[in-house]
Amino acid sequence: MPHRKERLLEHGYDEIREYDNPTPGWWHAIFLGSIAFSALYFAFWHGSPMAWTPQDSLAADRTAYYARVFRTVGELKADQPTMLKMMADTRWMEFGASIFAANCAACHGAAGAGLTGPNLTDDRYINVRKLEDLFTVVSEGVLPKGMPAWGNRLTQNERVLVASFAASLRGRNLTGRAPEGEVIPPWPTFEPPPPAAP
Amino acid sequence: MSTTLSAAPMRSADQPHAAGGHGRGPLETFAYDDQIVRWFLAVTVLWGVVAMLAGMVVALQLVMPDLVPALLKALGLSEASAATVQQYLTFGRIRPVHTNAAIFAFVGNGMFAGVYFSTQRLCKARMWSDLLSRLHFWGWQAIIVAAAVTLPMGFTQGKEYAELEWPIDLAIAVVWLGFFGLNFFMTLLHRRERHMYVALWFYIATIVTVTVLHVFNSLAVPAAPLRSYSVYAGVQDALVQWWYGHNAVAFFLTTPILGLMYYFMPKAAERPVFSYKLSIVHFWSLVFMYIWAGPHHLHYTALPQWASTLGMLFSLMLWMPSWGGMINGLMTLRGAWQRVLTDPVLKFLTVAVTFYGMSTFEGPMLSIKAVNGLAHYTDWVIGHVHGGALGWNACLFFGVFYWLLPRLYRTNLWSTRLAEWHFWTATIGLFTYWVSMQWAGITQGLMWRAFDDSGALAFPDFVETVTKIAPMYWIRAGGGLLFFLGMLMCALNLVMTWRHRSADLSDTVARAPALGPAEPDRVYRSDLQNVIGLGRVTDQVTELTWHRRWERLPLRFTLFVALAIASASAFSLVPMFAVRSNIPTIASVTPYTPLELAGRDIYRAEGCYNCHSQMIRPIWAETRRYGEYSKPGEFVYDHPFQWGSRRIGPDLHRVGGKYSSDWQIRHLENPRSLVQGSIMPAYAHLLNTRLDFDAIPATMHAMKLVGVPYNDQQIAGAVAAAREQAGAVAAEVKAAGGYEGLDDSQAIALVAYLQRLGTDISKPPPAEGAAR
């Protein structure tokens, strides 16, 4: 920019004077640039068929997530063999543990030893007689007892996994809330399927 | 470009060619009202100490949630009395005290001190009415005291920075426009300086816009002397609130402070202002563009996308208009830099303008949707506002005060050394605060969205993300403490300077000629050759000399400002009210029951929205953590909306049915008995406080007036219905092994409300023809 001698404006206010300097060139450039960018941005996001919404991104993330995470298992059945298989798989139990931490630990305690909800680490159960009952209790809740229903909140796979994780806590016999309900038979042992025929 | 100026008269009907002379009348002698400036300055320092003390309390409560009850017990109170007093001092009650004191008491009074000092001198006139000045002073202090009493008691409209209840809102409107505004504009009309200096433009914009913002955001229907309900609901309420909220930042915390900068910076530096042209361009662009920026507080919420996008884009476009002020401030220091090294006044002013520049860069950056997706609901935003409030506003005030004190008390500043200490304490404290909150915010934002290898949330337990940033909370408290200590140094300097004041504090006498008929303005006429007419017009317009004429017409200038902000407001707000498709209704969403309404009042009174959002964004990690994202149609009966702006605790929009009522009661009584590491205050008193069932019909009447479809029959049966539902919830608590006898407690109403939150969407729609 060529040197330009600064000129004071004639007026003054309570002895405050002002220069007649032009607005800086870079200032103009960025200001006009931001206006141009804004026009283009708005035109694209609210006028172009190629634009997408946060809801579109969410749906895509959800689809990609299920494809990635549950690719190997598909939709899990809420039956005993499936739950036993999941309980034997450390990776799936980590997944179940995360769901448990997010949703169940508040009432059943971080380790499952019970707070306002029952202790899950002993052999006594209130509404569970067999393994699959855990899934039913998670899904439908036991409303009079304060157990919420998770059917609307968690997907089938998540409920199977968190029920399996809760089942896996049995036998740790942690000190916490006193055991409630009746002693029920131990969970069946997991028998891995025979290797596929060659 | 040529800079030829000609004295050709403007063609104008209302400004006829001046008849003779230089437009000057006889010389007059008058006195400036300095007392009112001294008063405002003193209360600014007082309220500054109070605001920062409240800030220290809330900052420490986040790392020591049982701080207040422990202190009370240490003071000798019994367990029961400590619990009783504690209910007035929870984070949710004191945080609004802190924000209101900082904004309206500290910055408000500081602004008035500067405006009263500079306006008189820029107009060469005493304030029009000493009575109005004093009514303004005492009225404003009374409002502050009313706020300091009602907020801890839980009287709040439940909208951030607009918490004060309707009688106080009315008083604000009267004091602001009726006393301050009237006095200011009458002074303008009785000025002895022909043209208005840029500082006055900013004051005009402040007075006009704050009036409009305050009135429209506070519109509410009263149900009791200190209880009212916003006329807007849900998405619309959110939009109006953040139109207000962001422009409170713009027109309460920025434009008046810019006005002060334009007066005190050249005064203190004894240097001319860098560019008059820049003043014009950045003033008008700020006034027009700021209004649109509010929706950047609502990115990824249930607000329609077009509004969100406009909010982001206008925020980006505001970057340069804001920096225009910074450039004019810093460049005015050219030739005075050596004095910046030694003079605490210039040091504070320099830091203030620098922080203004940094905040107005950080702001547009935070308004970019992708950045906001990470930063929203985190402490990054808390850091950002303190960069503005402490770095820009407070530091500018400190500079102005140290410049004013010797002049107002006609003596030397008691201790320049102490002012120097204040400067370094404040600056270090400020940086510590700012950086620790950015760190905390980014850390927590990243933890919320982190997934582990199994595909599950890496930090599913919300409280983990809180305990992780506790060290940053400690550092923030340290930074805040340093800034607070600096404030105390400022107070000491004020008191000691006052004690050493001159015996003669009579008003400053000045002399100036009265204004005669206007002389023509010197307007640039383009002398470009060989261009089309449009070229010459462009040349004339961009030389900006036409603006000189506006500067001597205060009413017209005010009208133009009002038109700018009104048209921008209309464009950005009206479509939300006019276009039905912006808020698709959901058939299964029905109004709250009487008990839930009462519970909602408790939620609002306790200030739960200060820590909990009720707005799940359509972001995958967020829907994993909290459930289905929030839809606009779910909030149509929410007067006021309670979306919140910060997640110190988890989002609550889908908390309904997530925990048992028994759990909720125990959690309210003592959160740490169920959630280790929780920093939520204990609300044990809610279990022992009786709910005022008889107040519910008045609430429903007010709700009906603002459009919630309650019929007379429902209102008549409200008390019975509420008691019945309370009995059912209490029975549920008891059946689950919880406490007994809670039937008429406030806690039961609050739990009923919490259990309802976010559940309507998964219910079947009501049958056709069923009573709504």
Side-chain angles (χ1 to χ4, degrees):
Chain A
M1 192 198 278
H3 178 73
R4 176 191 168 116
K5 191 156 165 35
E6 290 186 315
R7 200 176 65 82
L8 270 176
L9 290 168
E10 288 157 35
H11 56 254
Y13 303 93
D14 196 30
E15 293 161 20
I16 297 173
R17 302 290 301 273
E18 293 171 289
Y19 283 119
D20 188 33
N21 282 324
T23 43
W26 62 269
W27 184 92
H28 269 280
I30 301 180
F31 188 30
L32 295 176
S34 69
I35 294 172
F37 168 81
S38 297
L40 292 174
Y41 184 98
F42 196 91
F44 175 77
W45 288 102
H46 298 278
S48 161
M50 289 186 302
W52 63 92
T53 65
Q55 286 76 8
D56 295 336
S57 303
L58 176 68
D61 284 350
R62 180 183 282 138
T63 311
Y65 174 86
Y66 285 115
R68 185 169 64 82
V69 174
F70 296 113
R71 182 184 63 233
T72 51
V73 291
E75 175 151 291
L76 296 170
K77 288 205 191 82
D79 59 13
Q80 182 173 299
T82 311
M83 288 179 71
L84 286 173
K85 190 173 152 202
M86 292 297 125
M87 286 162 69
D89 187 325
T90 3
R91 199 180 80 83
W92 285 121
M93 281 306 92
E94 275 173 29
F95 189 92
S98 169
I99 299 170
F100 186 88
N103 302 298
C104 318
C107 295
H108 292 285
L115 279 170
T116 59
N119 193 330
L120 300 173
T121 64
D122 56 47
D123 287 328
R124 287 180 181 269
Y125 287 82
I126 305 171
N127 292 293
V128 173
R129 293 293 166 268
K130 52 188 194 302
L131 196 51
E132 306 91 287
D133 292 348
L134 271 166
F135 175 84
T136 314
V137 168
V138 168
S139 301
E140 293 166 18
V142 187
L143 298 178
K145 287 293 215 176
M147 170 73 189
W150 295 89
N152 278 334
R153 295 174 174 273
L154 300 174
T155 61
Q156 161 95 4
N157 279 10
E158 288 163 340
R159 279 175 281 139
V160 170
L161 287 167
V162 79
S164 306
F165 175 77
S168 76
L169 295 172
R170 183 177 180 183
R172 297 188 186 180
N173 293 309
L174 300 177
T175 322
R177 199 172 152 111
E180 294 156 280
E182 294 162 31
V183 177
I184 61 167
W187 310 137
T189 43
F190 174 59
E191 288 163 24
Chain B
M1 184 179 290
S2 163
T3 52
T4 309
L5 288 161
S6 75
M10 297 292 294
R11 284 180 296 277
S12 161
D14 59 348
Q15 291 294 338
H17 197 294
H22 294 286
R24 301 228 180 253
L27 197 64
E28 292 176 339
T29 306
F30 51 93
Y32 295 130
D33 184 357
D34 289 337
Q35 186 191 47
I36 195 73
V37 183
R38 283 192 292 269
W39 286 9
F40 272 121
L41 195 150
V43 292
T44 306
V45 174
L46 171 71
W47 292 124
V49 170
V50 172
M52 289 174 203
L53 186 63
M56 286 306 302
V57 172
V58 287
L60 288 172
Q61 281 179 323
L62 292 184
V63 274
M64 297 189 283
D66 290 319
L67 171 73
V68 171
L71 276 180
L72 292 170
K73 271 182 258 174
L75 288 172
L77 267 70
S78 69
E79 185 93 24
S81 354
T84 312
V85 178
Q86 136 87 356
Q87 65 180 293
Y88 302 107
L89 300 172
T90 56
F91 183 94
R93 296 271 179 99
I94 297 301
R95 193 256 186 177
V97 173
H98 166 61
T99 53
N100 279 277
I103 299 169
F104 301 108
F106 176 62
V107 179
N109 282 310
M111 162 205 319
F112 299 142
V115 168
Y116 275 93
F117 186 89
S118 57
T119 300
Q120 299 187 79
R121 281 151 179 89
L122 290 169
C123 290
K124 290 219 166 59
R126 189 182 179 87
M127 290 309 292
W128 180 64
S129 159
D130 283 5
L131 176 66
L132 282 181
S133 299
R134 270 132 197 92
L135 282 173
H136 173 203
F137 177 84
W138 289 111
W140 198 257
Q141 308 320 311
I143 287 165
I144 294 166
V145 171
V149 172
T150 55
L151 290 174
M153 292 178 71
F155 296 112
T156 168
Q157 287 188 327
K159 292 166 78 164
E160 284 178 277
Y161 326 119
E163 284 94 348
L164 302 178
E165 267 297 353
W166 64 275
I168 309 177
D169 275 344
L170 289 176
I172 292 172
V174 169
V175 172
W176 179 266
L177 192 64
F179 300 162
F180 174 47
L182 179 64
N183 204 9
F184 175 84
F185 284 113
M186 291 309 284
T187 309
L188 283 190
L189 293 181
H190 289 85
R191 70 197 186 284
R192 294 185 182 83
E193 185 72 68
R194 174 75 62 199
H195 292 87
M196 297 183 299
Y197 177 58
V198 51
L200 296 175
W201 315 345
F202 278 106
Y203 301 159
I204 290 173
T206 302
I207 293 171
V208 169
T209 315
V210 169
T211 307
V212 173
L213 296 169
H214 172 69
V215 168
F216 283 96
N217 188 46
S218 302
L219 288 178
V221 171
L226 282 173
R227 188 158 52 89
S228 60
Y229 299 92
S230 172
V231 299
Y232 318 106
V235 175
Q236 294 168 342
D237 198 33
L239 184 68
V240 173
Q241 157 64 18
W242 286 111
W243 164 79
Y244 162 88
H246 192 74
N247 288 301
V249 173
F251 289 91
F252 203 92
L253 303 173
T254 301
T255 53
I257 315 301
L258 280 170
L260 297 195
M261 183 201 80
Y262 271 111
Y263 181 82
F264 290 99
M265 180 70 100
K267 275 284 182 190
E270 295 168 342
R271 297 284 308 152
V273 172
F274 169 66
S275 169
Y276 163 71
K277 287 198 174 81
L278 187 56
S279 298
I280 296 173
V281 180
H282 102 96
F283 171 79
W284 285 104
S285 46
L286 273 187
V287 165
F288 183 71
M289 288 183 173
Y290 240 127
I291 292 290
W292 303 70
H296 69 215
H297 291 258
L298 298 166
H299 283 331
Y300 295 107
T301 66
L303 192 75
Q305 277 300 305
W306 61 264
S308 177
T309 303
L310 281 182
M312 164 182 154
L313 295 176
F314 275 89
S315 307
L316 287 182
M317 290 189 274
L318 270 167
W319 177 23
M320 280 302 114
S322 303
W323 272 24
M326 176 189 70
I327 296 167
N328 249 348
L330 289 182
M331 297 289 270
T332 297
L333 287 167
R334 290 173 313 158
W337 284 111
Q338 72 288 353
R339 286 183 48 221
V340 174
L341 298 176
T342 54
D343 181 1
V345 170
L346 288 184
K347 281 184 188 177
F348 268 122
L349 295 183
T350 306
V351 163
V353 176
T354 309
F355 258 92
Y356 178 58
M358 290 197 282
S359 301
T360 53
F361 173 75
E362 192 180 39
M365 180 175 69
L366 283 168
S367 76
I368 296 170
K369 289 183 190 177
V371 180
N372 196 274
L374 174 69
H376 191 44
Y377 296 131
T378 77
D379 280 312
W380 190 352
V381 181
I382 313 298
H384 175 62
V385 297
H386 284 81
L390 303 181
W392 162 229
N393 295 355
C395 284
L396 193 116
F397 284 167
F398 296 143
V400 167
F401 291 176
Y402 288 129
W403 187 85
L404 275 177
L405 282 177
R407 287 164 176 82
L408 290 173
Y409 291 106
R410 303 206 178 122
T411 181
N412 289 329
L413 183 66
W414 179 63
S415 170
T416 308
R417 214 178 139 85
L418 189 62
E420 191 79 17
W421 270 90
H422 177 195
F423 171 76
W424 287 108
T425 326
T427 307
I428 295 169
L430 174 58
F431 262 100
T432 311
Y433 191 112
W434 195 39
V435 174
S436 62
M437 285 295 91
Q438 288 173 332
W439 189 300
I442 294 171
T443 304
Q444 198 175 26
L446 290 173
M447 287 175 88
W448 287 342
R449 56 164 64 168
F451 287 97
D452 67 15
D453 291 341
S454 76
L457 286 173
F459 305 97
D461 191 3
F462 185 89
V463 79
E464 267 184 287
T465 72
V466 178
T467 46
K468 178 78 179 175
I469 58 173
M472 288 299 132
Y473 280 169
W474 278 110
I475 295 172
R476 179 262 295 272
L481 180 66
L482 282 178
F483 204 88
F484 177 57
L485 291 176
M487 188 74 231
L488 293 178
M489 293 177 202
C490 180
L492 180 64
N493 231 336
L494 166 72
V495 171
M496 296 310 287
T497 306
W498 171 75
R499 287 189 59 176
H500 292 88
R501 67 195 179 278
S502 159
D504 172 28
L505 288 187
S506 58
D507 288 337
T508 310
V509 175
R511 288 151 71 81
L515 286 189
E519 58 188 300
D521 288 299
R522 295 163 68 84
V523 182
Y524 168 68
R525 295 269 174 242
S526 179
D527 56 0
L528 290 182
Q529 303 297 318
N530 304 322
V531 296
I532 55 169
L534 186 64
R536 265 195 290 277
V537 169
T538 310
D539 185 28
Q540 272 168 211
V541 167
T542 55
E543 270 298 308
L544 299 172
T545 53
W546 47 268
H547 195 267
R548 282 295 283 165
R549 186 159 166 272
W550 292 14
E551 293 163 22
R552 62 177 159 83
L553 302 169
L555 293 183
R556 192 172 299 190
F557 195 98
T558 306
L559 180 70
F560 289 158
V561 169
L563 282 176
I565 64 126
S567 61
S569 301
F571 283 129
S572 55
L573 296 182
V574 169
M576 191 65 66
F577 291 86
V579 183
R580 205 168 273 275
S581 65
N582 278 321
I583 304 162
T585 49
I586 301 170
S588 60
V589 172
T590 52
Y592 294 105
T593 67
L595 185 70
E596 290 158 5
L597 267 188
R600 195 166 201 273
D601 278 344
I602 296 164
Y603 186 95
R604 180 170 79 148
E606 294 300 343
C608 303
Y609 63 87
N610 286 291
C611 291
H612 294 283
S613 57
Q614 287 189 17
M615 174 46 62
I616 303 165
R617 299 173 295 175
I619 296 173
W620 180 231
E622 197 146 318
T623 57
R624 294 296 298 155
R625 188 181 295 278
Y626 301 116
E628 180 64 12
Y629 69 90
S630 308
K631 312 288 192 298
E634 293 185 82
F635 301 98
V636 292
Y637 303 122
D638 280 15
H639 298 266
F641 83 116
Q642 293 284 282
W643 294 0
S645 64
R646 173 76 183 90
R647 283 182 186 149
I648 295 172
D651 188 278
L652 296 182
H653 187 218
R654 304 254 179 249
V655 80
K658 184 168 181 181
Y659 304 96
S660 69
S661 299
D662 171 38
W663 185 92
Q664 290 287 11
I665 292 284
R666 289 171 195 265
H667 184 252
L668 285 173
E669 185 192 28
N670 180 6
R672 275 162 293 289
S673 72
L674 295 176
V675 183
Q676 277 190 348
S678 165
I679 57 173
M680 178 167 144
Y683 287 95
H685 63 274
L686 294 179
L687 277 65
N688 309 318
T689 314
R690 211 187 140 273
L691 181 72
D692 184 4
F693 284 93
D694 298 331
I696 297 176
T699 306
M700 293 176 77
H701 266 296
M703 287 289 170
K704 192 179 169 193
L705 276 174
V706 295
V708 181
Y710 292 120
N711 59 40
D712 293 338
Q713 199 184 345
Q714 285 169 319
I715 297 176
V719 175
R723 285 195 181 278
E724 189 188 332
Q725 192 185 359
V729 179
E732 189 190 321
V733 171
K734 188 183 158 197
Y739 294 115
E740 292 183 32
L742 292 174
D743 302 53
D744 59 357
S745 70
Q746 292 192 344
I748 284 293
L750 179 56
V751 169
Y753 169 63
L754 292 175
Q755 295 290 29
R756 172 72 184 274
L757 278 177
T759 56
D760 279 9
I761 197 167
S762 49
K763 290 175 186 161
E768 280 300 313
R772 293 267 171 100

